[in-house]
Amino acid sequence: MTATGGEREADPVRRSYDTVAREYAERIGDELAGKPLDRALLTALLEQRTGPQAPVADLGCGPGHVTGWLAGHGARAVGIDLSPAMVELARRDHPAAEFREGDLRRLPAADGEFGGAVALYSLIHLPPAEHRAVLTEVARTLRPGAPLLLAFHRGSESRHLTDWWGHQVDVTFHFLDPDTVTADLTAAGFTLRARLDRAPHPHEAETDRSYLLAVRS
C-alpha cells in the first residue's frame, strides 16, 4: 500500500514525539498547575458540552495531562494522539481516561460521538492549507452545539526543529493567524464564540498564544 502525502508528512511528527515522549511528559505533564487561564477555559468548555454523558475529546493529547484533567473534573474524556509512545504514557498515567492512537485527518471516532473537544497546540504541526479539512473532520465527530477550544502560537512564521532537549527530531511548528483560523472554523461549520490572546508565561517558550472557543453549528 502506498502512503498518501498526509501520511508521509505525519511520519516525522510521529517519530519525533515518540522520541521525546518521556521527557515531554516529565517537563509538561503538570503544566496546568501553573496555567489558571487554561483551566478556566477548560472549565468553560465542560460547562458548555452537549450532554453530560457525551465524551469530551482531547485532540493531540500528548501524554494525556489535559485529558486526565478533564476526566478529573467529571468528563468522560477521550485523548487521541498520533504518537504511540505518547498514548502509552497517557494510558499509564491517566487510567480514568480513554486513549486512542490516531491522526487528526482521520479521527478514530464516530460521527457525532463527542459533546466537546479541545485541540491545544495540535494544529500547529499540520500545514495551514490542511486546517480547513482537518476542522471539518473534527466537526464530523462533534454533536451540534458542541464546543471546540483551540490553542496555538500566534504569528506567521514556521520553526523547524532537528534537536529538541538533546533528542534528534524532525518537526515543524507553524505559527497561525487567528483571523485565518477563524475563517477556517467558519468554513468547517463552526461559529466563533470567543477569542483570547496572551503573552507567554515565564516558564514557556517566548511565543504569543491565542485561544479560540467555537461551537459546531
Side-chain angles (χ1 to χ4, degrees):
M1 181 180 295
T2 302
T4 66
E7 288 169 340
R8 287 193 296 270
E9 290 172 359
D11 283 342
V13 177
R14 181 185 295 110
R15 289 194 298 269
S16 296
Y17 274 94
D18 281 348
T19 298
V20 302
R22 291 191 179 278
E23 186 159 0
Y24 190 103
E26 292 171 0
R27 289 174 176 260
I28 307 296
D30 63 350
E31 66 172 348
L32 284 178
K35 292 187 172 182
L37 179 59
D38 288 51
R39 297 196 307 271
L41 290 168
L42 291 169
T43 299
L45 180 130
L46 288 180
E47 292 182 358
Q48 296 177 56
R49 69 189 188 272
T50 54
Q53 299 307 312
V56 175
D58 180 11
L59 306 176
C61 66
H65 54 298
V66 173
T67 325
W69 188 96
L70 293 168
H73 287 76
R76 290 178 54 207
V78 177
I80 300 175
D81 201 85
L82 185 68
S83 162
M86 287 290 194
V87 171
E88 180 183 356
L89 289 173
R91 288 172 175 159
R92 181 197 70 184
D93 294 339
H94 305 284
E98 176 189 345
F99 294 94
R100 305 172 187 173
E101 184 182 336
D103 192 316
L104 292 180
R105 300 173 178 93
R106 296 170 303 281
L107 288 168
D111 293 356
E113 179 176 353
F114 301 126
V118 301
L120 306 183
Y121 306 99
S122 49
L123 279 180
I124 61 174
H125 294 306
L126 295 165
E130 296 187 14
H131 288 176
R132 191 165 296 190
V134 168
L135 291 170
T136 299
E137 170 67 356
V138 173
R140 177 189 66 79
T141 70
L142 291 174
R143 296 181 176 190
L148 170 66
L149 177 65
L150 299 177
F152 48 87
H153 304 285
R154 188 172 71 256
S156 58
E157 65 178 297
S158 295
R159 297 183 185 178
H160 184 74
L161 290 187
T162 56
D163 181 274
W164 194 356
W165 299 323
H167 301 282
Q168 185 176 348
V169 296
D170 178 11
V171 63
T172 299
F173 297 79
H174 299 282
F175 289 49
L176 307 177
D177 171 48
D179 292 336
T180 301
V181 179
T182 298
D184 290 337
L185 281 167
T186 301
F190 290 91
T191 301
L192 184 68
R193 293 298 190 209
R195 168 182 165 179
L196 189 148
D197 300 330
R198 72 165 173 86
H201 295 304
H203 59 278
E204 292 180 317
E206 294 184 1
T207 65
D208 292 325
R209 320 293 173 102
S210 289
Y211 301 80
L212 301 179
L213 180 63
V215 296
R216 184 188 182 279
S217 303

